[in-house]
Amino acid sequence: MPAQFLLNLFIAFLWMVLNDEDVMRFPTFFEGFLVGIFIIFLMQRFFGKQFYLHRFYYVLKLILIFIYELIMSAYVVLKHILSREIDIKPGIFTYETSLKSDWEVTTLAMLLTLTPGSVVMEVSPEGNVFYIHALDIERYKGDLIRSLGRFEKAIMEVTR
């Protein structure tokens, strides 16, 4: 994938040089970069690897999933804060993950910790079990597990 990106940069610079302008301008470079993306996309089967912008798409998808989960969990926490009576049952539960690398496990733990209403308290030494504290375990454990599943799937798409 780095080879595809470097080739795309080379095509963009070549485009700038061949346009024969007095001053090198960013819009010309950007045009060349877009032409390079098109050329590399057409020739991706010769590289033997996945097109390098696929990973960018998956990273963007992970960010959008995180923003969605952040807004939804912030809404739930805000609803608890603004209610007249506190009717929460906090608790701790375990979640077993299928993520393998340290980077994947750390990313999942950080994404979950950054969403309001849940905190990863500890990760097992093997890195496959999370101990999670939830604000209202009885009502929102299912939602939290669905969020973990979405995060896990998106992280695997980015890293594998």
Side-chain angles (χ1 to χ4, degrees):
M1 283 198 228
Q4 292 178 13
F5 180 70
L6 291 174
L7 181 61
N8 198 359
L9 286 178
F10 176 73
I11 291 170
F13 280 115
L14 190 62
W15 183 269
M16 274 186 4
V17 170
L18 294 178
N19 264 336
D20 196 30
E21 294 180 348
D22 295 335
V23 181
M24 295 195 182
R25 297 189 175 118
F26 180 74
T28 308
F29 175 79
F30 188 69
E31 287 174 11
F33 195 79
L34 292 178
V35 168
I37 287 173
F38 180 71
I39 291 170
I40 292 171
F41 181 75
L42 289 178
M43 300 182 68
Q44 70 181 342
R45 66 184 177 139
F46 297 114
F47 291 108
K49 291 188 177 181
Q50 185 180 15
F51 183 53
Y52 80 99
L53 286 182
H54 282 270
R55 182 162 290 177
F56 176 74
Y57 166 74
Y58 292 132
V59 168
L60 187 63
K61 182 179 170 184
L62 176 62
I63 291 169
L64 292 175
I65 289 171
F66 171 68
I67 290 171
Y68 173 77
E69 294 296 334
L70 180 69
I71 291 170
M72 296 309 291
S73 61
Y75 171 73
V76 168
V77 170
L78 190 62
K79 195 166 68 170
H80 281 295
I81 291 170
L82 296 177
S83 67
R84 293 207 178 261
E85 42 195 61
I86 298 176
D87 184 27
I88 59 172
K89 303 221 175 2
I92 299 171
F93 70 97
T94 60
Y95 178 77
E96 191 164 333
T97 181
S98 60
L99 299 176
K100 302 291 182 214
S101 74
D102 290 340
W103 188 89
E104 293 172 335
V105 171
T106 303
T107 303
L108 181 61
M110 294 309 297
L111 288 174
L112 187 63
T113 300
L114 288 173
T115 54
S118 59
V119 174
V120 176
M121 295 173 44
E122 189 173 344
V123 179
S124 70
E126 296 83 29
N128 62 344
V129 177
F130 291 145
Y131 297 95
I132 301 169
H133 180 273
L135 181 67
D136 195 353
I137 197 160
E138 286 183 1
R139 273 191 250 164
Y140 299 112
K141 182 179 178 183
D143 293 338
L144 193 56
I145 289 175
R146 273 191 296 281
S147 296
L148 282 164
R150 280 189 217 120
F151 283 146
E152 204 170 352
K153 183 180 175 212
I155 289 170
M156 283 191 275
E157 287 175 342
V158 169
T159 58
R160 298 179 187 173

